Amino acid sequence: MIGIAPTRGKFAGSFSGDVQITGSLTVFGAAPKSAAVRIGKNEYRRLYTMESPESWFEDFGEGALRGGRAAIRIAADFAPLVRTGNYHVFITPYGDCGGLFVANRTGTQFEVRELNGGKSNVRFSYRIIAKRKNIPGKRLEKLKPPDLPEPQRPARKPGPKENDARRMLRNLDLPAMRRAAARRVRA
């Protein structure tokens, strides 16, 4: 099935209700993926999906240093979805400390430590990003837009041809039209 809008600003398709897609979804367009998020009774804001050059999943959490160290287990519901052999962790401390770093990344957990052997007991947040396990997600894969038929434009009623317009002007009795206009002005 192909939906094509005949004019700009019109929808080629519209759905009301949940939509399920079995298979891949590739969107061609300037602002391809966004959500209309309600912020008031009848007020919405557009929020855009972040894009990346490869297929990544991410998770977030919090932890706390005890004596300058913390072990964080990768969430049991997140781990089966990603390749845990090589992932990225970003940390942000929620208090004063000598700085934090990530150590000993394994397939099940990672450590957060304070720099220079510090012994702080500070809370922190983390963001873990890992590649999807079930698809290769080629980096910046080249795509070719699909060959779609051109939209059917509504038929326009043809206007007069140039020769027709000249003939109509020649046939006008301009002096008679001027006299009629003058009579209307005087009346």
mmCIF file with all atom_site columns, all heavy atoms in Angstrom, residues 164-175:
data_model
loop_
_atom_site.group_PDB
_atom_site.id
_atom_site.type_symbol
_atom_site.label_atom_id
_atom_site.label_alt_id
_atom_site.label_comp_id
_atom_site.label_asym_id
_atom_site.label_entity_id
_atom_site.label_seq_id
_atom_site.pdbx_PDB_ins_code
_atom_site.Cartn_x
_atom_site.Cartn_y
_atom_site.Cartn_z
_atom_site.occupancy
_atom_site.B_iso_or_equiv
_atom_site.pdbx_formal_charge
_atom_site.auth_seq_id
_atom_site.auth_comp_id
_atom_site.auth_asym_id
_atom_site.auth_atom_id
_atom_site.pdbx_PDB_model_num
ATOM 1   N N   . ASP A 1 164 ? -6.383  33.399 -27.805 1.00 0.00 ? 164 ASP A N   1
ATOM 2   C CA  . ASP A 1 164 ? -7.762  33.607 -27.375 1.00 0.00 ? 164 ASP A CA  1
ATOM 3   C C   . ASP A 1 164 ? -7.894  34.928 -26.635 1.00 0.00 ? 164 ASP A C   1
ATOM 4   O O   . ASP A 1 164 ? -8.852  35.673 -26.820 1.00 0.00 ? 164 ASP A O   1
ATOM 5   C CB  . ASP A 1 164 ? -8.235  32.462 -26.479 1.00 0.00 ? 164 ASP A CB  1
ATOM 6   C CG  . ASP A 1 164 ? -8.344  31.141 -27.222 1.00 0.00 ? 164 ASP A CG  1
ATOM 7   O OD1 . ASP A 1 164 ? -8.410  31.178 -28.472 1.00 0.00 ? 164 ASP A OD1 1
ATOM 8   O OD2 . ASP A 1 164 ? -8.368  30.097 -26.552 1.00 0.00 ? 164 ASP A OD2 1
ATOM 9   N N   . ALA A 1 165 ? -6.902  35.225 -25.748 1.00 0.00 ? 165 ALA A N   1
ATOM 10  C CA  . ALA A 1 165 ? -6.960  36.470 -24.989 1.00 0.00 ? 165 ALA A CA  1
ATOM 11  C C   . ALA A 1 165 ? -6.884  37.681 -25.911 1.00 0.00 ? 165 ALA A C   1
ATOM 12  O O   . ALA A 1 165 ? -7.616  38.661 -25.739 1.00 0.00 ? 165 ALA A O   1
ATOM 13  C CB  . ALA A 1 165 ? -5.821  36.515 -23.976 1.00 0.00 ? 165 ALA A CB  1
ATOM 14  N N   . ARG A 1 166 ? -6.012  37.631 -26.927 1.00 0.00 ? 166 ARG A N   1
ATOM 15  C CA  . ARG A 1 166 ? -5.918  38.755 -27.876 1.00 0.00 ? 166 ARG A CA  1
ATOM 16  C C   . ARG A 1 166 ? -7.234  38.927 -28.639 1.00 0.00 ? 166 ARG A C   1
ATOM 17  O O   . ARG A 1 166 ? -7.693  40.043 -28.839 1.00 0.00 ? 166 ARG A O   1
ATOM 18  C CB  . ARG A 1 166 ? -4.775  38.519 -28.856 1.00 0.00 ? 166 ARG A CB  1
ATOM 19  C CG  . ARG A 1 166 ? -3.437  38.754 -28.243 1.00 0.00 ? 166 ARG A CG  1
ATOM 20  C CD  . ARG A 1 166 ? -2.357  38.703 -29.300 1.00 0.00 ? 166 ARG A CD  1
ATOM 21  N NE  . ARG A 1 166 ? -1.068  38.877 -28.669 1.00 0.00 ? 166 ARG A NE  1
ATOM 22  C CZ  . ARG A 1 166 ? 0.018   38.233 -29.017 1.00 0.00 ? 166 ARG A CZ  1
ATOM 23  N NH1 . ARG A 1 166 ? -0.017  37.384 -30.019 1.00 0.00 ? 166 ARG A NH1 1
ATOM 24  N NH2 . ARG A 1 166 ? 1.143   38.448 -28.400 1.00 0.00 ? 166 ARG A NH2 1
ATOM 25  N N   . ARG A 1 167 ? -7.835  37.827 -29.059 1.00 0.00 ? 167 ARG A N   1
ATOM 26  C CA  . ARG A 1 167 ? -9.095  37.900 -29.796 1.00 0.00 ? 167 ARG A CA  1
ATOM 27  C C   . ARG A 1 167 ? -10.182 38.504 -28.918 1.00 0.00 ? 167 ARG A C   1
ATOM 28  O O   . ARG A 1 167 ? -10.956 39.352 -29.357 1.00 0.00 ? 167 ARG A O   1
ATOM 29  C CB  . ARG A 1 167 ? -9.514  36.504 -30.281 1.00 0.00 ? 167 ARG A CB  1
ATOM 30  C CG  . ARG A 1 167 ? -10.743 36.536 -31.183 1.00 0.00 ? 167 ARG A CG  1
ATOM 31  C CD  . ARG A 1 167 ? -11.106 35.197 -31.840 1.00 0.00 ? 167 ARG A CD  1
ATOM 32  N NE  . ARG A 1 167 ? -10.270 34.042 -31.562 1.00 0.00 ? 167 ARG A NE  1
ATOM 33  C CZ  . ARG A 1 167 ? -10.520 33.130 -30.608 1.00 0.00 ? 167 ARG A CZ  1
ATOM 34  N NH1 . ARG A 1 167 ? -11.556 33.257 -29.821 1.00 0.00 ? 167 ARG A NH1 1
ATOM 35  N NH2 . ARG A 1 167 ? -9.730  32.095 -30.450 1.00 0.00 ? 167 ARG A NH2 1
ATOM 36  N N   . MET A 1 168 ? -10.222 38.122 -27.627 1.00 0.00 ? 168 MET A N   1
ATOM 37  C CA  . MET A 1 168 ? -11.239 38.671 -26.731 1.00 0.00 ? 168 MET A CA  1
ATOM 38  C C   . MET A 1 168 ? -11.038 40.178 -26.562 1.00 0.00 ? 168 MET A C   1
ATOM 39  O O   . MET A 1 168 ? -12.002 40.940 -26.534 1.00 0.00 ? 168 MET A O   1
ATOM 40  C CB  . MET A 1 168 ? -11.192 37.969 -25.363 1.00 0.00 ? 168 MET A CB  1
ATOM 41  C CG  . MET A 1 168 ? -11.716 36.539 -25.443 1.00 0.00 ? 168 MET A CG  1
ATOM 42  S SD  . MET A 1 168 ? -12.076 35.699 -23.887 1.00 0.00 ? 168 MET A SD  1
ATOM 43  C CE  . MET A 1 168 ? -10.589 35.715 -23.000 1.00 0.00 ? 168 MET A CE  1
ATOM 44  N N   . LEU A 1 169 ? -9.769  40.625 -26.451 1.00 0.00 ? 169 LEU A N   1
ATOM 45  C CA  . LEU A 1 169 ? -9.504  42.071 -26.336 1.00 0.00 ? 169 LEU A CA  1
ATOM 46  C C   . LEU A 1 169 ? -9.935  42.814 -27.592 1.00 0.00 ? 169 LEU A C   1
ATOM 47  O O   . LEU A 1 169 ? -10.487 43.913 -27.522 1.00 0.00 ? 169 LEU A O   1
ATOM 48  C CB  . LEU A 1 169 ? -8.019  42.324 -26.056 1.00 0.00 ? 169 LEU A CB  1
ATOM 49  C CG  . LEU A 1 169 ? -7.556  42.050 -24.623 1.00 0.00 ? 169 LEU A CG  1
ATOM 50  C CD1 . LEU A 1 169 ? -6.042  42.169 -24.536 1.00 0.00 ? 169 LEU A CD1 1
ATOM 51  C CD2 . LEU A 1 169 ? -8.226  42.984 -23.646 1.00 0.00 ? 169 LEU A CD2 1
ATOM 52  N N   . ARG A 1 170 ? -9.682  42.240 -28.767 1.00 0.00 ? 170 ARG A N   1
ATOM 53  C CA  . ARG A 1 170 ? -10.086 42.891 -30.030 1.00 0.00 ? 170 ARG A CA  1
ATOM 54  C C   . ARG A 1 170 ? -11.592 43.011 -30.123 1.00 0.00 ? 170 ARG A C   1
ATOM 55  O O   . ARG A 1 170 ? -12.136 43.971 -30.662 1.00 0.00 ? 170 ARG A O   1
ATOM 56  C CB  . ARG A 1 170 ? -9.552  42.100 -31.227 1.00 0.00 ? 170 ARG A CB  1
ATOM 57  C CG  . ARG A 1 170 ? -8.117  42.428 -31.576 1.00 0.00 ? 170 ARG A CG  1
ATOM 58  C CD  . ARG A 1 170 ? -7.752  41.901 -32.971 1.00 0.00 ? 170 ARG A CD  1
ATOM 59  N NE  . ARG A 1 170 ? -8.038  40.483 -33.156 1.00 0.00 ? 170 ARG A NE  1
ATOM 60  C CZ  . ARG A 1 170 ? -7.173  39.493 -32.892 1.00 0.00 ? 170 ARG A CZ  1
ATOM 61  N NH1 . ARG A 1 170 ? -5.975  39.788 -32.455 1.00 0.00 ? 170 ARG A NH1 1
ATOM 62  N NH2 . ARG A 1 170 ? -7.500  38.243 -33.084 1.00 0.00 ? 170 ARG A NH2 1
ATOM 63  N N   . ASN A 1 171 ? -12.294 42.009 -29.605 1.00 0.00 ? 171 ASN A N   1
ATOM 64  C CA  . ASN A 1 171 ? -13.756 42.003 -29.705 1.00 0.00 ? 171 ASN A CA  1
ATOM 65  C C   . ASN A 1 171 ? -14.426 42.940 -28.706 1.00 0.00 ? 171 ASN A C   1
ATOM 66  O O   . ASN A 1 171 ? -15.613 43.205 -28.812 1.00 0.00 ? 171 ASN A O   1
ATOM 67  C CB  . ASN A 1 171 ? -14.317 40.595 -29.526 1.00 0.00 ? 171 ASN A CB  1
ATOM 68  C CG  . ASN A 1 171 ? -13.949 39.695 -30.697 1.00 0.00 ? 171 ASN A CG  1
ATOM 69  O OD1 . ASN A 1 171 ? -13.657 40.193 -31.788 1.00 0.00 ? 171 ASN A OD1 1
ATOM 70  N ND2 . ASN A 1 171 ? -13.950 38.405 -30.461 1.00 0.00 ? 171 ASN A ND2 1
ATOM 71  N N   . LEU A 1 172 ? -13.682 43.405 -27.715 1.00 0.00 ? 172 LEU A N   1
ATOM 72  C CA  . LEU A 1 172 ? -14.278 44.320 -26.740 1.00 0.00 ? 172 LEU A CA  1
ATOM 73  C C   . LEU A 1 172 ? -14.557 45.664 -27.405 1.00 0.00 ? 172 LEU A C   1
ATOM 74  O O   . LEU A 1 172 ? -13.729 46.206 -28.142 1.00 0.00 ? 172 LEU A O   1
ATOM 75  C CB  . LEU A 1 172 ? -13.329 44.531 -25.549 1.00 0.00 ? 172 LEU A CB  1
ATOM 76  C CG  . LEU A 1 172 ? -13.157 43.367 -24.589 1.00 0.00 ? 172 LEU A CG  1
ATOM 77  C CD1 . LEU A 1 172 ? -12.119 43.725 -23.537 1.00 0.00 ? 172 LEU A CD1 1
ATOM 78  C CD2 . LEU A 1 172 ? -14.457 42.995 -23.929 1.00 0.00 ? 172 LEU A CD2 1
ATOM 79  N N   . ASP A 1 173 ? -15.676 46.214 -27.128 1.00 0.00 ? 173 ASP A N   1
ATOM 80  C CA  . ASP A 1 173 ? -16.026 47.553 -27.617 1.00 0.00 ? 173 ASP A CA  1
ATOM 81  C C   . ASP A 1 173 ? -15.668 48.533 -26.509 1.00 0.00 ? 173 ASP A C   1
ATOM 82  O O   . ASP A 1 173 ? -16.514 48.922 -25.695 1.00 0.00 ? 173 ASP A O   1
ATOM 83  C CB  . ASP A 1 173 ? -17.516 47.603 -27.966 1.00 0.00 ? 173 ASP A CB  1
ATOM 84  C CG  . ASP A 1 173 ? -17.909 48.911 -28.639 1.00 0.00 ? 173 ASP A CG  1
ATOM 85  O OD1 . ASP A 1 173 ? -17.042 49.801 -28.731 1.00 0.00 ? 173 ASP A OD1 1
ATOM 86  O OD2 . ASP A 1 173 ? -19.078 49.011 -29.040 1.00 0.00 ? 173 ASP A OD2 1
ATOM 87  N N   . LEU A 1 174 ? -14.355 48.894 -26.440 1.00 0.00 ? 174 LEU A N   1
ATOM 88  C CA  . LEU A 1 174 ? -13.867 49.756 -25.366 1.00 0.00 ? 174 LEU A CA  1
ATOM 89  C C   . LEU A 1 174 ? -14.574 51.108 -25.330 1.00 0.00 ? 174 LEU A C   1
ATOM 90  O O   . LEU A 1 174 ? -14.918 51.582 -24.240 1.00 0.00 ? 174 LEU A O   1
ATOM 91  C CB  . LEU A 1 174 ? -12.353 49.926 -25.466 1.00 0.00 ? 174 LEU A CB  1
ATOM 92  C CG  . LEU A 1 174 ? -11.552 48.643 -25.187 1.00 0.00 ? 174 LEU A CG  1
ATOM 93  C CD1 . LEU A 1 174 ? -10.075 48.899 -25.371 1.00 0.00 ? 174 LEU A CD1 1
ATOM 94  C CD2 . LEU A 1 174 ? -11.822 48.126 -23.800 1.00 0.00 ? 174 LEU A CD2 1
ATOM 95  N N   . PRO A 1 175 ? -14.809 51.782 -26.469 1.00 0.00 ? 175 PRO A N   1
ATOM 96  C CA  . PRO A 1 175 ? -15.520 53.070 -26.382 1.00 0.00 ? 175 PRO A CA  1
ATOM 97  C C   . PRO A 1 175 ? -16.902 52.929 -25.761 1.00 0.00 ? 175 PRO A C   1
ATOM 98  O O   . PRO A 1 175 ? -17.317 53.741 -24.940 1.00 0.00 ? 175 PRO A O   1
ATOM 99  C CB  . PRO A 1 175 ? -15.606 53.534 -27.841 1.00 0.00 ? 175 PRO A CB  1
ATOM 100 C CG  . PRO A 1 175 ? -14.457 52.858 -28.520 1.00 0.00 ? 175 PRO A CG  1
ATOM 101 C CD  . PRO A 1 175 ? -14.314 51.552 -27.831 1.00 0.00 ? 175 PRO A CD  1
#
